[in-house]
Amino acid sequence: MPARAPLLATLLALARARRTCNRIRLHYRDSAHAVSEREVDVLGLAFQGGRWYALAHCHLRHGLRLFRVDRVAAASLVRRRTCGYTLRGFDAAFFSSVEFLEPGAAVARLATVRLTGPLAAAAPAIFPGAILERDGKDRLCHLRVSHVDRLAELVESLGPRAAIVQRGALEVGGDPAKE
């Protein structure tokens, strides 16, 4: 599934809001196609079931909401710092990796994803649990995966500026008695 330019632009805007701790204004189209305008504080981004989601504190509804990124009609950064809203116990790294890293998996592999162009700046929001490394203007994101195929689907959704450069090079975990 190739990345659609509007989806990628929205994802980058949400990632920038998360990374810079700025509020973002969304024109959001719900499942009944009704459009609402709201300001949100982005807490995390996740790719699950072939779709991108943003977990955010919504100032219109005064609570947490999970937004499908493909339903965002427009997104613009608001030059207002987030109010410091935090969700007790929320782990952005876990939220973002749940699709490709099975919690408690006996075996996980290390994978590296290269992000270029505007995606390089979005790396901390897209892969908050990754070890990030600069490679010129690019970012290498080293992460644990138990489902490389799901990570590949995520990377494909980002388009040509994202690529897996190393798939499952090293097993992590397993049964120490068998080693």
Side-chain angles (χ1 to χ4, degrees):
M1 108 186 95
R4 296 184 329 209
L7 177 71
L8 190 56
T10 300
L11 183 63
L12 288 171
L14 291 165
R16 175 177 288 169
R18 169 79 178 120
R19 185 174 49 85
T20 62
C21 298
N22 279 293
R23 194 172 287 179
I24 193 164
R25 180 173 295 117
L26 302 179
H27 292 262
Y28 189 74
R29 191 179 63 252
D30 67 15
S31 60
H33 302 290
V35 176
S36 61
E37 182 178 328
R38 53 186 76 207
E39 289 186 7
V40 302
D41 300 337
V42 180
L43 300 173
L45 298 169
F47 183 82
Q48 295 180 16
R51 297 184 192 281
W52 279 98
Y53 293 91
L55 180 67
H57 174 77
C58 175
H59 293 277
L60 176 67
R61 303 288 186 233
H62 305 290
L64 285 176
R65 294 292 184 266
L66 188 63
F67 297 98
R68 273 186 36 188
V69 175
D70 62 321
R71 289 186 178 164
V72 175
S76 57
L77 209 57
V78 176
R79 296 288 176 198
R80 187 175 326 151
R81 302 291 285 174
T82 60
C83 61
Y85 181 86
T86 58
L87 179 60
R88 181 183 214 113
F90 177 70
D91 183 345
F94 175 79
F95 179 70
S96 71
S97 67
V98 83
E99 179 75 358
F100 55 84
L101 179 60
E102 184 178 329
V107 175
R109 301 190 184 290
L110 296 178
T112 301
V113 175
R114 177 182 299 277
L115 299 178
T116 64
L119 284 176
I126 295 172
F127 296 116
I131 295 172
L132 301 176
E133 177 185 358
R134 291 195 186 277
D135 185 24
K137 292 183 179 182
D138 298 349
R139 278 280 175 96
L140 297 176
C141 308
H142 307 286
L143 30 102
R144 291 180 50 181
V145 297
S146 47
H147 299 286
V148 178
D149 56 330
R150 293 181 188 164
L151 178 64
E153 186 180 0
L154 178 160
V155 169
E156 185 179 340
S157 79
L158 296 172
R161 293 188 179 265
I164 296 178
V165 294
Q166 189 172 29
R167 293 174 182 252
L170 173 68
E171 285 190 16
V172 178
D175 186 355
K178 293 182 180 178
E179 293 180 9

